[in-house]
Amino acid sequence: MNDWPEGWSGDNRAGRYGRGSASAQPESARVMRQVRRGAAPPPGSGPSAPPYGGGVPQQPSYADGQGHGGQDGYDSGYNTGQVYGSPGGRGPASGAPGAGRPAPNWRRRIKWTSITLVTALVVTTVGTYFWADSKLNREVDLSKVIERPEAGEGTNYLIVGSDSREGMTDEQKKDLHTGSAEGKRTDSMMILHTGDNGSTLISLPRDSDVEIPSFVGSESGKTYKGTGRHTKLNAAYAEDGPELLVRTIEYNTGLRLDHYVEIGFAGFANIVDSVGGVEMDIPQDIKDTKSGADFKKGKQTLNGEEALAFVRTRYALPGSDLDRTKNQQKFLSALASQVATPSTVLNPFKLYPTMGAGLDSLIVDKDMGLFDLAGMFWAMKSVSGGDGTSMNMPISGNVGGNVKWDTGKVKTLVEQLKNDEKVTVSAN
């Protein structure tokens, strides 16, 4: 019985290797090389060739990795196990430590770490800037000041300490010895000039004799004609606020004021406390029941309450208000130096409370920016460091109970400030 399909016989099966022929003859295109591991057996030993018929040639050994008996230089890689390019045939994930993942690219890591840190720094800086800028109380409009002198070289700040008790509790008023007077008056006034020839800090006695010029009311917009009336300088502030004070100082000196900065009692004390106090070298024992000052001579760190008492004291000083202005200059310069130290600037737990306390309590002009404010602090620091000059407005005596300025010296001083020259004028 023939089990093959019809038309198929042993004859037509002959020569059909791979299709069930009895005498399998391999097709040349289907010859498979044998991969043999280990050394090739010597001729005549080992098992004979598979019984595929006498027509199957013996396959070459690949034991030497050369292929075709090592004659044609071919290396398949199977014999040595280097199929995946790793010794011993273990593949890419085995072998030496760290195999299976690429070595870290440190240059790339450093690059992205740097980018991340710089980005975080920029975002923090920008955020801090807008936060701080939003806290500035820009309430003073210097555009309302009329008949202003021409601007000179450098920048001139008017720094005012007011006796405002706004926002203070009865307990705070008692602790700070401020009293409970309504409204606010100027307790101190200083002109700070900054320029290429150092900084100059000039105190204006609040009892200075000045003429009130024509001015436009800051609230009413009404024009008030000057009558030649003379009064104390701090009366100008009490009459119509910062704008009339600026107008009066500019009229009596001929010096244009570029910026206005004001701070009240509570704000001053808060700033001092936020920086952990300010060290002062007090030259003499001071006891003043009106300001609350009670100090022994020598170096000591003043907290906010003590600092306020120190800068307000005048009755216990030989030169009264003139000595008080000197103490105010000395303390403000020391405070600026304390604020600008690395221990404050580089410590966010100290910097932000200090900025918050200071910016919340400052009243500035509408054109004042953070960089202007920073420039003011750095200039005051330079004064305390000996790179600037601090002085009182030159005076020549008294008139009607008011302090009279030395007209000649004031004129020379103003010219030097306008031209940003080194100040040579002395207060005495």
Side-chain angles (χ1 to χ4, degrees):
M1 179 177 179
N2 186 354
D3 293 330
W4 294 97
E6 185 177 359
W8 288 77
S9 65
D11 294 335
N12 58 25
R13 288 196 307 268
R16 300 274 184 173
Y17 173 76
R19 298 187 183 180
S21 63
S23 59
Q25 296 292 330
E27 298 173 308
S28 59
R30 291 182 178 269
V31 174
M32 300 294 291
R33 294 175 177 172
Q34 297 179 4
V35 177
R36 182 181 301 166
R37 298 186 181 276
S45 63
S48 59
Y52 295 136
V56 180
Q58 183 176 357
Q59 301 299 308
S61 170
Y62 286 79
D64 60 356
Q66 299 299 316
H68 300 294
Q71 299 301 317
D72 62 356
Y74 174 81
D75 183 2
S76 66
Y78 277 87
N79 184 58
T80 59
Q82 298 184 19
V83 179
Y84 299 102
S86 61
R90 289 186 291 266
S94 62
R101 61 180 180 181
N105 188 332
W106 289 109
R107 179 177 296 180
R108 181 183 178 85
R109 289 189 179 186
I110 292 173
K111 171 185 173 182
W112 284 106
T113 300
S114 300
I115 291 175
T116 301
L117 291 176
V118 170
T119 302
L121 179 61
V122 170
V123 170
T124 302
T125 302
V126 172
T128 299
Y129 175 86
F130 284 105
W131 167 78
D133 188 73
S134 67
K135 283 185 166 293
L136 280 178
N137 300 309
R138 297 183 173 93
E139 299 177 6
V140 180
D141 188 357
L142 296 183
S143 67
K144 296 179 179 180
V145 180
I146 62 173
E147 301 177 15
R148 308 193 67 187
E150 291 185 5
E153 301 294 327
T155 304
N156 298 311
Y157 299 84
L158 178 61
I159 303 172
V160 174
S162 77
D163 63 0
S164 172
R165 297 148 177 90
E166 184 178 351
M168 296 175 63
T169 64
D170 291 338
E171 184 178 356
Q172 288 175 318
K173 293 176 183 177
K174 180 180 179 181
D175 291 340
L176 298 177
H177 300 272
T178 64
S180 300
E182 296 297 327
K184 61 180 181 178
R185 288 150 293 277
T186 53
D187 206 51
S188 62
M189 291 161 283
M190 302 178 190
I191 295 175
L192 174 65
H193 173 83
T194 66
D196 295 333
N197 285 290
S199 302
T200 304
L201 185 62
I202 308 165
S203 288
L204 309 176
R206 67 177 189 172
D207 293 340
S208 297
D209 184 76
V210 294
E211 180 182 340
I212 301 296
S214 300
F215 68 96
V216 174
S218 59
E219 296 295 333
S220 66
K222 181 180 177 180
T223 299
Y224 297 88
K225 293 294 184 178
T227 60
R229 173 171 56 100
H230 279 245
T231 185
K232 294 180 179 180
L233 181 58
N234 65 345
Y237 181 94
E239 189 172 331
D240 198 52
E243 288 84 0
L244 179 55
L245 178 62
V246 170
R247 167 70 174 136
T248 301
I249 293 174
E250 290 187 342
Y251 178 82
N252 285 269
T253 63
L255 182 69
R256 185 184 180 99
L257 302 175
D258 301 294
H259 292 294
Y260 178 93
V261 180
E262 177 186 325
I263 186 169
F265 283 161
F268 180 82
N270 289 339
I271 293 175
V272 174
D273 285 334
S274 68
V275 297
V278 176
E279 184 179 78
M280 291 294 299
D281 188 358
I282 299 178
Q284 64 189 62
D285 292 348
I286 299 176
K287 188 171 181 64
D288 185 354
T289 56
K290 291 193 175 183
S291 69
D294 188 3
F295 306 112
K296 296 297 181 182
K297 177 181 178 180
K299 287 186 176 182
Q300 51 202 287
T301 299
L302 307 183
N303 61 25
E305 177 183 339
E306 295 167 336
L308 185 60
F310 177 72
V311 299
R312 294 183 62 223
T313 296
R314 63 171 173 164
Y315 294 105
L317 303 176
S320 188
D321 196 47
L322 295 179
D323 282 349
R324 178 173 71 162
T325 57
K326 294 178 182 178
N327 285 342
Q328 290 171 345
Q329 289 180 348
K330 184 187 299 184
F331 186 85
L332 288 178
S333 296
L335 175 60
S337 295
Q338 180 69 25
V339 170
T341 57
S343 62
T344 299
V345 175
L346 300 179
N347 183 354
F349 298 103
K350 207 171 187 179
L351 175 63
Y352 285 97
T354 301
M355 292 178 65
L359 297 174
D360 278 341
S361 58
L362 291 179
I363 295 175
V364 300
D365 65 271
K366 293 184 180 296
D367 294 327
M368 174 73 85
L370 287 178
F371 290 109
D372 299 313
L373 195 61
M376 185 192 79
F377 271 95
W378 280 107
M380 293 185 68
K381 180 183 178 182
S382 71
V383 171
S384 67
D387 294 331
T389 302
S390 60
M391 59 184 293
N392 280 325
M393 183 67 84
I395 61 174
S396 60
N398 293 276
V399 54
N402 298 338
V403 176
K404 182 175 177 57
W405 294 349
D406 186 318
T407 306
K409 286 187 175 182
V410 169
K411 182 178 180 180
T412 302
L413 173 62
V414 169
E415 286 300 316
Q416 291 176 342
L417 296 178
K418 278 186 173 182
N419 297 323
D420 194 24
E421 300 171 351
K422 186 174 180 60
V423 172
T424 59
V425 177
S426 64
N428 298 321

